[in-house]
Amino acid sequence: MSAAKIKKGDQVIVLSGKDKGRTGEVVKAMPREGKLVVDGINVHARHVKPSQGDPQGGIKREAAPLHASKVALVTSDGKPTRVRFEVRDGKKVRVAVKTGEVING
């Protein structure tokens, strides 16, 4: 699935990897790279030296980007679905393949 079909603010479920089965909200979409940052998913620890901007330093945990093909959009019933584009009432809209419902956004 291309990253353009999933946008910031969408609820997604992880299909593969260490976080398989977990759901979260897309915080950042990077369509050129085909990657997404999902809140609380693919969290990596980074050791940061104390600096003037951050005198405490320590271990900082933040969500790293993961490939768009590893996630699927979650429908209102909580199940994963693919996304297709359709023209409805003269507007191009995103539609859930399983249910046929229009995805807002």
Side-chain angles (χ1 to χ4, degrees):
M1 181 176 297
S2 72
K5 291 184 178 182
I6 299 176
K7 299 187 182 316
K8 181 179 175 180
D10 287 346
Q11 279 293 120
V12 294
I13 187 166
V14 180
L15 301 174
S16 65
K18 66 178 184 176
D19 293 317
K20 180 178 179 177
R22 294 180 61 196
T23 60
E25 186 178 324
V26 177
V27 179
K28 183 179 179 185
M30 297 176 276
R32 284 181 186 261
E33 293 90 37
K35 296 190 178 210
L36 305 163
V37 176
V38 183
D39 190 35
I41 306 292
N42 198 26
V43 177
H44 287 226
R46 182 169 179 206
H47 295 258
V48 181
K49 265 184 165 178
S51 65
Q52 211 167 10
D54 183 15
Q56 183 64 36
I59 300 170
K60 306 290 182 201
R61 298 185 179 280
E62 60 181 43
L66 69 156
H67 201 269
S69 64
K70 290 186 170 229
V71 300
L73 203 73
V74 175
T75 56
S76 54
D77 62 350
K79 295 195 174 154
T81 184
R82 295 189 312 273
V83 179
R84 97 168 53 117
F85 287 103
E86 288 181 6
V87 177
R88 292 192 181 175
D89 301 325
K91 289 184 81 175
K92 185 178 174 184
V93 293
R94 296 184 300 157
V95 177
V97 172
K98 275 191 180 173
T99 60
E101 65 185 65
V102 176
I103 300 158
N104 58 350

